[in-house]
Amino acid sequence: HREYQGAVRLNPGSSLEQISFATLLSDMGRFTDALTEYKKAAQLGADDPRTYYLMGKAYLRHGQSAEAVKYFGESLQRDPNDFQTLTWLARVLAADQDAAVRNSAEAVSLAERAATLTGGEQPFVLDTLAMAYAEAGRFKDAVATVQKALQMAEAAGAQKTLPEMQQRLQLYQSDKPFREDFSKEQ
C-alpha cells in the first residue's frame, strides 16, 4: 500500500493511480479511506466510469446498497453499455434484501441489455437476468435462464458457482425470488 501512496504522490494528477490505490484500500477493508481516494479520482477523471463503478462495488461490500445503486447509475451515465455495471446494478435491483432498493422492471431491463451486449454467453449475466425475472414474478423465464447459466458455467469449469445457481434454481421452481447480502461479496 505504501507503493501506491508513493505512486499517487509522484503522479498526483492521474486518476488511474488514484483508482488503484482506492481499490487496494477497499480490498483491505478501509472503506472510508477508499471512498476518499475514489472521490479524488472522480475529480481527476470525472468522465471515467470505472471510478463510479468501483465506488458502487465498495458501497455494496460495506452494506450500503442504496448508495451503490446511485454510483452504478453514475457509471452508466458515462458508459451506458458497460455490461459489468449493467449486471451489478441489475443484480442489486433484483435481489437486494431491502425491498426499498429493489426494482424488478429496471432490473429486468438492465439485465436483458447486459445479456444482449454479451451475446447471452456470460453465466454471471444470465444468472443475474434469472434473478431479475424471478423478482418480476416471471419464474418460468427465471428457471430457463438459470438453467442456461448452469450449463454454461459447468461447460466453462466454473464449479464454484454451480451450487449457488442450483439453489437459486430450486427457489425459482418454487416461485420464490432470491435475496442476496452484498456485504458478503468479495
Side-chain angles (χ1 to χ4, degrees):
H1 128 249
R2 285 195 176 116
E3 292 82 12
Y4 277 107
Q5 277 182 316
V8 169
R9 267 191 240 113
L10 289 172
N11 196 0
S14 171
S15 64
L16 182 58
E17 279 86 6
Q18 209 74 47
I19 291 169
S20 297
F21 183 47
T23 302
L24 175 68
L25 291 169
S26 180
D27 290 346
M28 293 170 61
R30 294 176 53 189
F31 177 69
T32 304
D33 294 334
L35 285 182
T36 299
E37 298 303 320
Y38 280 131
K39 287 175 183 173
K40 288 178 188 175
Q43 290 171 347
L44 293 170
D47 290 333
D48 187 347
R50 291 172 301 176
T51 305
Y52 299 94
Y53 167 76
L54 292 168
M55 284 175 74
K57 292 280 295 214
Y59 273 108
L60 269 186
R61 277 196 296 270
H62 200 65
Q64 296 183 31
S65 299
E67 282 297 305
V69 166
K70 175 181 154 187
Y71 285 101
F72 287 145
E74 289 282 330
S75 179
L76 286 177
Q77 284 180 4
R78 286 154 180 82
D79 183 359
N81 293 318
D82 180 69
F83 84 90
Q84 285 183 307
T85 306
L86 288 165
T87 304
W88 274 103
L89 180 53
R91 198 171 185 96
V92 173
L93 294 174
D96 196 78
Q97 293 178 335
D98 182 353
V101 173
R102 291 193 306 270
N103 180 329
S104 62
E106 190 174 354
V108 168
S109 175
L110 294 166
E112 284 179 340
R113 199 159 97 218
T116 299
L117 286 168
T118 58
E121 299 293 323
Q122 296 282 333
F124 184 76
V125 174
L126 292 176
D127 185 32
T128 300
L129 179 56
M131 288 177 192
Y133 284 151
E135 178 60 21
R138 295 171 55 183
F139 295 105
K140 287 182 183 178
D141 292 331
V143 167
T145 305
V146 80
Q147 285 174 331
K148 185 176 179 186
L150 274 162
Q151 290 169 352
M152 289 181 165
E154 193 168 14
Q159 300 300 318
K160 182 181 172 194
T161 61
L162 295 177
E164 294 170 2
M165 280 194 261
Q166 288 165 338
Q167 288 173 347
R168 286 191 277 279
L169 173 60
Q170 290 173 352
L171 280 174
Y172 307 152
Q173 288 170 331
S174 300
D175 292 348
K176 295 179 184 169
F178 172 71
R179 297 292 170 253
E180 189 162 358
D181 179 358
F182 292 101
S183 65
K184 295 180 180 178
E185 288 289 325
Q186 289 304 320

